[in-house]
């Protein structure tokens, strides 16, 4: 009898060891460790519905009300012989609409809104008889010979604000946005040759820079790096790398892969945190993806730390905010960690999710960290919207109706950043910088951010609620642009200390097996509609919906089903 117990013990021990060994070890991010496991007050809004309502409300030329409509037609026909739709940067912005010949509108707003709507299933190429996707071509500055996407259609309005040929991220990011739109509309006329032109310019620029991105911007017409009063933006290398890798996947030109690797090496070689605005998380994502797809050895942990930690030098303190302000968990939003005690921004938070969520597909060791961050970010981001923030914590609650429930404040801060205004407000204070852009002329309502609100489709495409409040089902593929073929993949993080059982709904209609890339095993077999999935406390599952009965084969440390990778780190 004793022998039987010993044998039984050995079997249990070995089984337990194998299970533990199979688990992908989770790596921590110090900034995320500072966040609440379950942020309070907790409320997850319907982000897909918000994205749909934004599109329906803002893209209405006949919208009624003061400061409406939010869009207009620019007939100056810059770069392409077609009119282009303008969209307000902020409500009531005096630089826009019919002013300045209708020319002042920003790619950040227009491209972000088209991309976001497309992510939640709205076809912007034929919406009410209008092709909004095609109108984005006007931002391709061929009249000036830059031959890349820029934030404005022409230099005549560039100095009005928003950066143009002087502030590097403003010149790089529209191309990141365009490449996303380009994949969403592959048949759109002219998109391919424009994408090719951008890739050529970025490849040539990286070749000229030779690993030194220590500049304020790059003149893509003269093909020379430039310095001005704006500090150096070495993280532009992340934007170059993302576009070049997307171009490599799109066109198959190995020069672009070479350029992407070169730009990533330049990014990683920095001795200090070079984060400036939006681009660093794209570097972290690429590091994880290229490591498993191209055999590189980039330091994912380093780039994620630069993204989160708030240790940026040039843009002092730029990173991810943490903490509880007067009873409100505000962790997860992206912005300045030091400005007036912290100042988080709507667009930056939405856009960080774009590269960070698919990062876990390529490096599942960050599933818990990214899942926890996203829960905090999703929860806190509702506070940008006036209908979800208590009136006594907003600068202009009396004007909330002008937003029609779809336009948010540009950001929120620990204390008012206006210094002499709204000083009686307790943080978090929902506010925006619009009145500072044109002092004495821009109205108070310009604190409401149309440009940031248009990027809501990123959250809308990624975030789905489950049957348990606080447990999110995150679509890992939604913003994984230019990826290889993949089966539906979802990250579900359990923020509770105890195990939770989630009612998992299958995306397709055919029977599937649920493979978990964290425990690295099939956890449910042969289901057609839904199944219960148990998740241990403060842990994640990374579920891949594999056709039922598929034969799984391990090759080159990748687990493959029917020729499609379902696990990039199979031991």
């Amino acid at each position: 009898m004793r022998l039987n117990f010993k044998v039984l013990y050995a079997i249990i021990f070995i089984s337990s060891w194998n299970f533990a060994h199979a688990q992908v070890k989770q790596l921590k991010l110090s900034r995320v460790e500072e966040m609440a496991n379950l942020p309070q007050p907790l409320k997850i809004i319907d982000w897909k519905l918000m994205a749909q309502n934004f599109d329906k409300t803002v893209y209405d030329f006949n919208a009624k009300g003061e400061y409406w409509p939010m869009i207009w037609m620019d007939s100056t026909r810059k770069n392409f012989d077609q009119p282009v739709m303008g969209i307000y940067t902020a409500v009531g912005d005096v630089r826009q609409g019919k002013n300045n010949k209708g020319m002042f509108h920003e790619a950040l707003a227009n491209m972000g809104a088209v991309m976001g709507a497309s992510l939640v299933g709205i076809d912007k190429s034929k919406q009410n008889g209008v092709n909004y996707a095609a109108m984005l071509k006007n931002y391709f500055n061929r009249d000036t010979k830059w031959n890349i996407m820029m934030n404005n259609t022409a230099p005549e309005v560039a100095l009005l604000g928003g950066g143009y040929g002087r502030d590097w991220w403003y010149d790089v990011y529209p191309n990141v946005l365009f490449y996303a739109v380009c994949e969403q509309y592959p048949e759109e006329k002219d998109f391919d040759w424009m994408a090719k032109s951008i890739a050529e310019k970025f490849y040539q620029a990286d070749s000229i820079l030779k690993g030194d991105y220590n500049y304020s911007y790059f003149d893509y017409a003269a093909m020379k790096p430039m310095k001005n009063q704006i500090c150096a933006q070495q993280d532009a290398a992340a934007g170059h790398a993302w576009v070049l890798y997307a171009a490599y996947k799109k066109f198959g030109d190995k020069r672009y892969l070479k350029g992407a690797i070169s730009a990533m090496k330049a990014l990683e070689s920095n001795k200090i945190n070079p984060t400036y605005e939006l681009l660093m998380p794209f570097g972290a994502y690429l590091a994880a993806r290229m490591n498993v797809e191209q055999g590189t050895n980039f330091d994912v942990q380093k780039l994620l730390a630069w993204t989160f930690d708030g240790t940026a030098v040039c843009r002092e303190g730029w990173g991810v905010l943490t903490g509880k302000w007067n009873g409100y968990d505000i962790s997860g939003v992206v912005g300045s960690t030091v400005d007036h005690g912290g100042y988080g921004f709507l667009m930056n938070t939405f856009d960080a999710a774009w590269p960070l969520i698919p990062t876990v597909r390529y490096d599942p060791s960050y599933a818990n960290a990214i899942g926890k961050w996203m829960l905090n970010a999703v929860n806190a981001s509702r506070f940008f919207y006036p209908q979800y923030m208590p009136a006594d914590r907003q600068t202009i609650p009396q004007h909330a109706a002008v937003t029609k429930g779809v336009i948010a404040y540009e950001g929120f801060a620990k204390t008012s950043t206006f210094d002499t205004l709204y000083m009686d407000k307790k943080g978090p204070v929902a506010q925006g910088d619009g009145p500072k852009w044109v002092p004495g002329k821009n109205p108070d309502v310009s604190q409401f951010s149309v440009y940031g609100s248009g990027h809501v489709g990123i959250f809308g495409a990624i975030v789905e609620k489950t049957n348990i409040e606080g447990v999110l089902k995150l679509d890992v593929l939604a913003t994984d642009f230019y990826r290889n073929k993949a089966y539906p993949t979802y990250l579900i993080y359990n923020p509770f200390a105890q195990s939770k059982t989630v009612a998992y709904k299958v995306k397709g209609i055919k029977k599937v097996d649920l493979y978990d890339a964290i425990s690295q095993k099939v956890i449910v077999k042969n289901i057609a509609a839904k199944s219960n999935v148990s998740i241990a406390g403060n842990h994640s599952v990374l579920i891949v919906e594999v056709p039922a009965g598929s034969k799984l084969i391990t090759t080159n440390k990748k687990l493959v089903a029917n020729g499609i990778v379902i696990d990039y780190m199979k031991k």
Side-chain angles (χ1 to χ4, degrees), residues 225-237:
M226 307 292 288
K227 290 186 178 182
N228 57 24
Q229 77 283 2
I230 298 173
C231 61
Q233 298 181 30
Q234 298 96 329
D235 63 343

Side-chain angles (χ1 to χ4, degrees), residues 57-114:
T57 307
V58 171
Y59 281 83
D60 180 1
F61 284 95
N62 300 310
K64 305 299 182 186
E66 190 177 11
Y67 302 110
W68 289 81
M70 289 292 155
I71 54 175
W72 73 93
M73 293 306 298
D74 168 8
S75 300
T76 56
R77 298 176 180 266
K78 296 292 183 180
N79 303 305
F80 284 84
D81 188 18
Q82 63 174 14
V84 59
M85 187 207 79
I87 185 170
Y88 275 85
T89 297
V91 174
D93 194 320
V94 297
R95 303 168 297 176
Q96 300 181 303
K98 295 179 181 179
N99 298 315
N100 295 301
K101 300 179 182 178
M103 288 173 56
F104 187 67
H105 42 84
E106 299 188 77
L108 292 184
N110 214 338
M111 286 188 186
V114 169

Side-chain angles (χ1 to χ4, degrees), residues 169 172-173 176 233-242 263-264 266-270 272-288 299-313 318-320 334 348 351-352 355-356 359:
W169 84 272
V172 171
Y173 200 54
V176 176
Q233 298 181 30
Q234 298 96 329
D235 63 343
H240 270 179
W242 189 91
M264 283 294 293
L267 177 69
E268 193 176 84
S269 69
N270 283 280
I272 59 172
N273 183 349
T275 293
Y276 186 79
E277 184 76 26
L278 282 166
L279 297 170
M280 188 59 72
F282 289 90
Y285 157 80
L286 271 185
D299 191 338
V300 180
Q301 180 81 21
K302 179 180 183 179
L303 298 180
L304 283 173
W306 279 351
T307 296
F308 279 86
D309 285 355
T311 54
V313 177
W318 207 257
V320 177
V334 179
N348 297 69
D351 288 25
L356 289 177
T359 296

Side-chain angles (χ1 to χ4, degrees), residues 78-207:
K78 296 292 183 180
N79 303 305
F80 284 84
D81 188 18
Q82 63 174 14
V84 59
M85 187 207 79
I87 185 170
Y88 275 85
T89 297
V91 174
D93 194 320
V94 297
R95 303 168 297 176
Q96 300 181 303
K98 295 179 181 179
N99 298 315
N100 295 301
K101 300 179 182 178
M103 288 173 56
F104 187 67
H105 42 84
E106 299 188 77
L108 292 184
N110 214 338
M111 286 188 186
V114 169
M115 181 189 75
S118 304
L119 283 171
V120 295
I122 298 168
D123 188 344
K124 300 296 288 185
S125 69
K126 49 184 178 182
Q127 187 177 33
N128 301 320
V130 181
N131 188 341
Y132 293 107
M135 289 180 180
L136 301 179
K137 293 190 296 186
N138 291 65
Y139 293 106
F140 183 82
N141 276 235
R142 60 179 179 178
D143 292 349
T144 60
K145 309 301 182 188
W146 278 56
N147 291 322
I148 64 169
M149 290 290 176
M150 297 190 73
N151 196 40
N152 305 118
T153 61
E156 292 96 303
V157 292
L159 292 178
L160 291 174
Y164 182 106
R166 65 184 189 277
D167 193 352
W168 206 348
W169 84 272
Y170 268 115
D171 298 334
V172 171
Y173 200 54
N175 298 280
V176 176
L177 287 165
F178 174 71
Y179 256 82
V181 172
C182 199
E183 192 192 42
Q184 293 170 315
Y185 297 94
E187 304 302 319
E188 195 58 55
K189 185 176 181 292
D190 298 315
F191 273 17
D192 272 8
W193 71 257
M194 292 161 65
K196 186 82 170 174
S197 172
I198 292 163
E200 287 295 319
K201 286 284 188 176
F202 280 20
Y203 175 74
Q204 292 166 22
D206 179 78
S207 300

